[in-house]
Amino acid sequence: MSSSSSTLSHLSLSLSSSSFIHKPNFLYPTTIHYLHFNPKFVSLSTKRTICASSSSSSSQLMDPFLSKTQPPIPTTVHVDLGDRSYPIYIGSGLLNQPHLLQRHVHGKRVLVVTNTTVAPLYLDKVVDALTRGNQNVSVESVILPDGEQYKDMDTLMKVFDKAIESRLDRRSTFVALGGGVIGDMCGFAAASFLRGVNFIQIPTTVMAQVDSSVGGKTGINHHLGKNLIGAFYQPQCVLIDTDTLNTLPERELASGFAEVIKYGLIRDADFFEWQEKNIHALMARDPNALAYAIKRSCENKAEVVSLDEKESGLRATLNLGHTFGHAIETGVGYGQWLHGEAVAAGTVMAVDMSYRLGWIDDSIVKRVGEILKQAKLPTTPPETVTMDMFKSVMAVDKKVADGLLRLILLKGPLGNCVFTGDYDRKALDDTLGAFCKS
Amino acid sequence: MSSSSSTLSHLSLSLSSSSFIHKPNFLYPTTIHYLHFNPKFVSLSTKRTICASSSSSSSQLMDPFLSKTQPPIPTTVHVDLGDRSYPIYIGSGLLNQPHLLQRHVHGKRVLVVTNTTVAPLYLDKVVDALTRGNQNVSVESVILPDGEQYKDMDTLMKVFDKAIESRLDRRSTFVALGGGVIGDMCGFAAASFLRGVNFIQIPTTVMAQVDSSVGGKTGINHHLGKNLIGAFYQPQCVLIDTDTLNTLPERELASGFAEVIKYGLIRDADFFEWQEKNIHALMARDPNALAYAIKRSCENKAEVVSLDEKESGLRATLNLGHTFGHAIETGVGYGQWLHGEAVAAGTVMAVDMSYRLGWIDDSIVKRVGEILKQAKLPTTPPETVTMDMFKSVMAVDKKVADGLLRLILLKGPLGNCVFTGDYDRKALDDTLGAFCKS
């Protein structure tokens, strides 16, 4: 069966009365037809999908025999980067589908990099998924301390030590199991070990699932700034088992939403409006709402990364609020504020500055403040971070070019932004003055 | 004027009576026409040149007006890697030609990475070459301790510290000024700083000029093995000013010849025969002999790297003698033996093993021993490195794949080799037994 548009139309019609949309206030935009992990239904791609799931997958699912004997095929978002392209699998129970991981393991040796929080919850499950029915593969693991404050060279060396002591070779595969810190560190270790080995991401936080695990940015912090040492290094695949969010602390959950909200603001007004209507469902961990937000976020990120892998321009727009946010994280000390919390306050500052420049109207300022509050995210930086601290950290931001700090600012109707160094310095000073005590 | 073959033939004929071939025993193979830094002559490419100097350069040199007013155009070997291609400039006095460097500097900030030995000799000269007539560029420098024992993460962090404290940004350029250790560390720093900045190599040792500066291998050592952490990262250009060899200690000079000899053995029998005839001229630092050896080595390396940048096969052949050699360096302690000294002894061991396997005849064994002795290079490992030490270090070699150690061994007539894990283990044991006390 082909996944022609007429077929899709038919299917989307058949869905309107399904049990899927189970809350009256859980509204999907009319252009989006989304089916979550139910083998009865085709995994339809949305208008915004970079590369739809293959038609063979869709037709498999429509086969009544196959649907009874095979596990559900996950939603797949493809990151299109030529010979470095890879799939993002999104779904419930994906860690119970060993073939998804095993097809991307090259060689016979695997090193799982995880942390003290995630290891007790999911390490055994991942080792099982890597080895079930596959006696040839042996798995080592290294368990790092948990937290942004450990995203440093000393901790990274523990990964190299383990890999070398275990005599891993060039055909080994590194697997990142955890949040953004683990993904970034494991990815940089994979990029650098023997000048590069294969790499798989299994993100277990919203933050990692919607943002950091996708796109190949890896690295560690320096005590003078975040992510100053690293590499662009793409994984073989990203496997997002949404069940792992069941164990995520509430603060971590909300932190991830800061990045989800970002996609709406910079490039996807429909998605932002969907978020405004469904923020309570997201906070209540409605699995369908979460899965939709993750998928739509990954699609947005995949599209941007495909167009600008090395961040020569467009990709920088994904850093809305991050320059202010990095200054907050550095100023307050890594690990005190979660990344998304700092990004949330940073986003409010970027939006404030955009408004001071006359680039957006005040309705956007209000809507941003409102949705962040509903997500229980901070909307101001901590009092301890002074204007001088902001300026000092922002001076070593990666987006400085030839001495000029470029920022991502909103401009125009909702869903539009610019990445520019061409702004009135007074607006930046005024924003810092408005949000800092001194 | 075009550089058509008829023009080239004409020029090569006109050279046969020039003063260039100034020693009767200094014999060039008949297929090679080489002109060294003399503006009267075209910089002819040899049969083996990967990509000849551009015709516009050649025609410039033939212009009698330009030849009087412009500095000599250096011999150029191109490394052909698509959008990562770059030139290797080879010549005397190239650091006095600022445009060669300045055309490859992007942005306004440069960080020169060098060491305590090279800085007093050449740092001022390089800073002058980077800034003369170019007020927009500012240069920082970081001076590292000299020696393989400092090729580690702690020393690498000093480069990052300096770059971050100097607020260098993504448009900065890192310049490696020194031998192989500096080139490898600066290259890895450039690959990792802000996920990648521009990079220029100015190698000042034979070892770096003929081998390590070309091809984009960068990295640092781990206490359990050499170059286990790093990246493939290509420079913008390599600038080889052969005058820098005037200050090179004799032991360093000889160390570099180990790699020159390697090119002959693995793929260029004509070059090996030339070396046998000219080893005394090389040891006496005859500038033309040195320049020829450097150029021909770079051509060989550029060809191999162009065909196999990431070392999936062919490129590994450049590591003849290196697996044994790395074990020697690790076993005896970094910095005790120079890299080329360890490679020389390792080459003898690889040749011995090739002979035990029946893959080469004993004339090659004798010729290798002879030329290494004439180059004052060691032909046996130090007594302190035991068989167990060899086996332990070789087990973590980057060429191990799925537990199998692959080696580069000679096979067939001079100039032929294989990269294989398919050999009789007894031959390896016998070689280790013959060269180790225990």
Side-chain angles (χ1 to χ4, degrees):
Chain A
M1 177 183 285
S2 76
S3 58
S4 68
S5 59
S6 63
T7 311
L8 294 180
S9 301
H10 168 72
L11 285 167
S12 65
L13 285 172
S14 75
L15 288 173
S16 57
S17 60
S18 80
S19 63
F20 173 59
I21 300 174
H22 56 99
K23 290 186 183 179
N25 68 340
F26 191 68
L27 298 173
Y28 288 86
T30 52
T31 56
I32 304 293
H33 311 288
Y34 181 72
L35 290 168
H36 181 56
F37 321 127
N38 188 328
K40 287 191 295 185
F41 300 133
V42 173
S43 171
L44 292 183
S45 62
T46 72
K47 278 206 310 183
R48 303 191 66 88
T49 302
I50 306 315
C51 177
S53 299
S54 70
S55 57
S56 63
S57 302
S58 301
S59 56
Q60 256 194 335
L61 271 173
M62 295 306 294
D63 182 315
F65 175 74
L66 283 173
S67 69
K68 285 174 193 160
T69 59
Q70 294 209 341
I73 289 179
T75 299
T76 304
V77 175
H78 284 273
V79 184
D80 185 8
L81 289 167
D83 60 2
R84 282 166 288 111
S85 297
Y86 56 91
I88 306 167
Y89 304 120
I90 305 168
S92 168
L94 298 195
L95 285 175
N96 297 321
Q97 297 189 39
H99 66 283
L100 287 178
L101 278 181
Q102 291 181 13
R103 72 173 77 160
H104 295 287
V105 171
H106 304 179
K108 300 172 181 170
R109 309 289 302 281
V110 177
L111 177 67
V112 179
V113 179
T114 186
N115 67 30
T116 48
T117 305
V118 176
L121 298 168
Y122 300 111
L123 180 55
D124 286 350
K125 203 173 180 75
V126 166
V127 171
D128 179 67
L130 287 162
T131 56
R132 199 190 312 165
N134 190 8
Q135 299 295 325
N136 286 331
V137 165
S138 69
V139 180
E140 307 285 342
S141 63
V142 57
I143 300 172
L144 305 178
D146 184 15
E148 182 86 24
Q149 64 270 43
Y150 298 107
K151 189 174 165 182
D152 60 12
M153 193 59 86
D154 287 346
T155 311
L156 183 72
M157 287 304 287
K158 294 185 197 305
V159 181
F160 293 126
D161 291 347
K162 180 70 184 181
I164 295 167
E165 285 160 10
S166 305
R167 301 192 168 181
L168 298 192
D169 63 39
R170 278 186 179 163
R171 283 176 52 73
S172 305
T173 300
F174 283 20
V175 174
L177 172 65
V181 171
I182 287 294
D184 282 8
M185 293 185 76
C186 178
F188 186 40
S192 308
F193 180 60
L194 309 183
R195 301 196 187 95
V197 296
N198 291 316
F199 168 45
I200 289 173
Q201 289 263 23
I202 306 180
T204 59
T205 64
V206 174
M207 174 61 70
Q209 292 174 352
V210 302
D211 187 24
S212 59
S213 73
V214 176
K217 277 195 183 179
T218 71
I220 57 171
N221 300 329
H222 184 274
H223 70 272
L224 293 177
K226 266 180 73 87
N227 298 324
L228 297 182
I229 302 165
F232 287 99
Y233 199 69
Q234 302 294 343
Q236 305 295 307
C237 76
V238 181
L239 186 139
I240 298 173
D241 187 332
T242 51
D243 293 354
T244 58
L245 299 183
N246 295 335
T247 53
L248 194 67
E250 182 146 352
R251 208 177 136 195
E252 294 267 4
L253 186 83
S255 172
F257 293 152
E259 300 287 0
V260 174
I261 291 164
K262 168 194 77 181
Y263 293 114
L265 289 174
I266 62 167
R267 69 191 312 271
D268 192 344
D270 287 350
F271 188 27
F272 187 82
E273 285 162 13
W274 176 89
Q275 292 164 26
E276 291 181 311
K277 291 172 185 144
N278 293 285
I279 186 67
H280 295 298
L282 289 169
M283 292 298 285
R285 302 187 197 222
D286 178 290
N288 292 323
L290 284 174
Y292 177 76
I294 292 165
K295 174 172 171 284
R296 184 94 171 218
S297 296
C298 286
E299 287 166 351
N300 271 293
K301 178 133 189 192
E303 187 166 309
V304 170
V305 169
S306 297
L307 293 168
D308 178 23
E309 182 183 7
K310 297 287 178 69
E311 195 165 312
S312 50
L314 177 67
R315 183 167 179 168
T317 62
L318 296 174
N319 286 311
L320 174 71
H322 284 57
T323 302
F324 295 103
H326 285 176
I328 293 169
E329 287 179 278
T330 305
V332 82
Y334 294 141
Q336 300 304 305
W337 276 40
L338 296 177
H339 176 61
E341 292 170 340
V343 167
T347 297
V348 173
M349 294 174 78
V351 169
D352 175 87
M353 185 174 154
S354 306
Y355 177 68
R356 285 176 195 273
L357 289 163
W359 291 357
I360 55 171
D361 66 42
D362 64 351
S363 70
I364 295 179
V365 180
K366 285 176 190 158
R367 288 169 76 180
V368 171
E370 187 59 30
I371 196 168
L372 292 173
K373 277 177 200 152
Q374 289 183 315
K376 298 184 182 170
L377 286 164
T379 53
T380 54
E383 292 189 2
T384 52
V385 182
T386 64
M387 192 180 297
D388 282 348
M389 288 159 80
F390 267 104
K391 287 187 172 175
S392 168
V393 178
M394 290 166 87
V396 295
D397 189 276
K398 289 192 290 301
K399 288 179 289 297
V400 172
D402 289 337
L404 180 69
L405 174 63
R406 295 171 297 171
L407 289 169
I408 297 91
L409 297 165
L410 301 188
K411 194 168 190 175
L414 186 72
N416 292 280
C417 69
V418 290
F419 171 46
T420 183
D422 186 16
Y423 52 79
D424 185 345
R425 292 294 169 279
K426 185 173 179 302
L428 175 55
D429 286 339
D430 288 349
T431 292
L432 291 176
F435 284 87
C436 300
K437 290 264 177 188
S438 58
Chain B
M1 178 185 285
S2 76
S3 58
S4 68
S5 59
S6 63
T7 310
L8 294 179
S9 302
H10 169 72
L11 286 167
S12 66
L13 286 171
S14 73
L15 290 173
S16 57
S17 60
S18 81
S19 62
F20 173 59
I21 300 175
H22 56 100
K23 289 185 182 178
N25 68 339
F26 191 69
L27 299 173
Y28 289 85
T30 54
T31 56
I32 304 293
H33 309 288
Y34 181 71
L35 290 168
H36 183 55
F37 323 125
N38 188 327
K40 286 190 297 186
F41 301 132
V42 173
S43 172
L44 293 183
S45 62
T46 72
K47 279 205 308 183
R48 305 190 65 89
T49 302
I50 304 316
C51 179
S53 299
S54 70
S55 57
S56 63
S57 303
S58 300
S59 56
Q60 254 195 337
L61 270 175
M62 294 306 295
D63 184 315
F65 175 75
L66 284 173
S67 70
K68 286 175 193 161
T69 57
Q70 294 209 340
I73 289 181
T75 299
T76 304
V77 176
H78 283 273
V79 184
D80 186 7
L81 289 167
D83 59 3
R84 281 166 290 109
S85 298
Y86 56 92
I88 306 167
Y89 304 120
I90 306 169
S92 169
L94 298 195
L95 284 176
N96 297 322
Q97 297 189 38
H99 66 283
L100 287 177
L101 279 181
Q102 291 182 15
R103 71 173 78 159
H104 295 287
V105 171
H106 304 180
K108 300 173 182 171
R109 308 290 302 280
V110 176
L111 177 66
V112 179
V113 179
T114 186
N115 68 29
T116 49
T117 305
V118 177
L121 297 169
Y122 301 112
L123 180 54
D124 286 350
K125 203 173 180 74
V126 167
V127 172
D128 179 66
L130 287 162
T131 55
R132 200 189 313 164
N134 190 7
Q135 299 295 326
N136 285 331
V137 166
S138 70
V139 181
E140 306 285 341
S141 63
V142 57
I143 300 172
L144 306 177
D146 183 14
E148 182 86 25
Q149 64 270 41
Y150 298 107
K151 189 175 164 182
D152 60 12
M153 193 59 88
D154 287 346
T155 310
L156 182 72
M157 287 303 288
K158 294 186 199 302
V159 181
F160 292 125
D161 291 347
K162 180 69 184 182
I164 295 166
E165 285 160 10
S166 304
R167 302 192 168 180
L168 298 192
D169 62 42
R170 279 186 177 161
R171 284 177 51 75
S172 306
T173 300
F174 283 20
V175 174
L177 171 66
V181 171
I182 286 295
D184 283 9
M185 293 185 76
C186 178
F188 187 40
S192 308
F193 180 60
L194 309 184
R195 301 197 185 93
V197 296
N198 292 317
F199 169 43
I200 289 172
Q201 289 263 23
I202 306 180
T204 59
T205 65
V206 174
M207 174 60 70
Q209 291 173 353
V210 301
D211 188 22
S212 59
S213 73
V214 176
K217 278 194 181 180
T218 71
I220 57 171
N221 300 329
H222 185 273
H223 70 272
L224 292 176
K226 265 181 72 88
N227 298 326
L228 296 182
I229 302 166
F232 288 99
Y233 199 69
Q234 303 295 342
Q236 305 296 308
C237 76
V238 181
L239 185 138
I240 298 174
D241 187 332
T242 51
D243 294 353
T244 58
L245 299 182
N246 295 335
T247 51
L248 193 66
E250 183 146 352
R251 208 176 137 197
E252 294 266 5
L253 186 83
S255 172
F257 293 152
E259 301 286 1
V260 175
I261 290 164
K262 169 194 79 181
Y263 292 115
L265 290 174
I266 62 168
R267 69 191 313 271
D268 193 344
D270 288 349
F271 187 28
F272 187 82
E273 285 161 14
W274 176 89
Q275 293 163 24
E276 290 181 311
K277 291 174 185 141
N278 293 284
I279 186 67
H280 295 296
L282 288 170
M283 293 299 285
R285 303 187 198 221
D286 178 290
N288 291 323
L290 284 174
Y292 177 77
I294 292 165
K295 174 171 170 286
R296 184 94 170 218
S297 296
C298 286
E299 286 167 352
N300 270 293
K301 178 133 190 190
E303 188 165 311
V304 170
V305 169
S306 298
L307 294 168
D308 178 23
E309 182 184 6
K310 297 285 179 72
E311 194 165 311
S312 50
L314 177 67
R315 183 167 180 169
T317 63
L318 297 174
N319 287 311
L320 175 70
H322 283 58
T323 302
F324 295 102
H326 285 176
I328 293 169
E329 288 179 276
T330 307
V332 82
Y334 294 141
Q336 300 303 305
W337 276 40
L338 296 176
H339 176 61
E341 292 171 339
V343 166
T347 298
V348 173
M349 294 174 77
V351 169
D352 176 87
M353 184 172 156
S354 306
Y355 177 68
R356 286 176 194 273
L357 289 163
W359 291 357
I360 55 171
D361 67 40
D362 64 351
S363 70
I364 294 178
V365 180
K366 285 176 191 157
R367 289 169 76 180
V368 171
E370 188 57 33
I371 196 168
L372 291 174
K373 277 176 202 154
Q374 290 183 314
K376 299 185 181 170
L377 286 164
T379 54
T380 54
E383 292 189 1
T384 50
V385 182
T386 65
M387 192 181 297
D388 282 349
M389 288 159 80
F390 268 104
K391 287 187 173 175
S392 169
V393 177
M394 291 166 87
V396 294
D397 188 275
K398 288 191 291 302
K399 287 178 290 298
V400 172
D402 289 339
L404 180 68
L405 175 62
R406 295 171 297 172
L407 289 170
I408 297 91
L409 297 165
L410 301 188
K411 194 168 189 175
L414 186 71
N416 292 281
C417 69
V418 289
F419 171 47
T420 182
D422 186 16
Y423 52 78
D424 186 345
R425 290 294 170 278
K426 186 173 178 305
L428 176 55
D429 286 339
D430 288 349
T431 292
L432 291 177
F435 284 87
C436 300
K437 291 264 176 189
S438 59

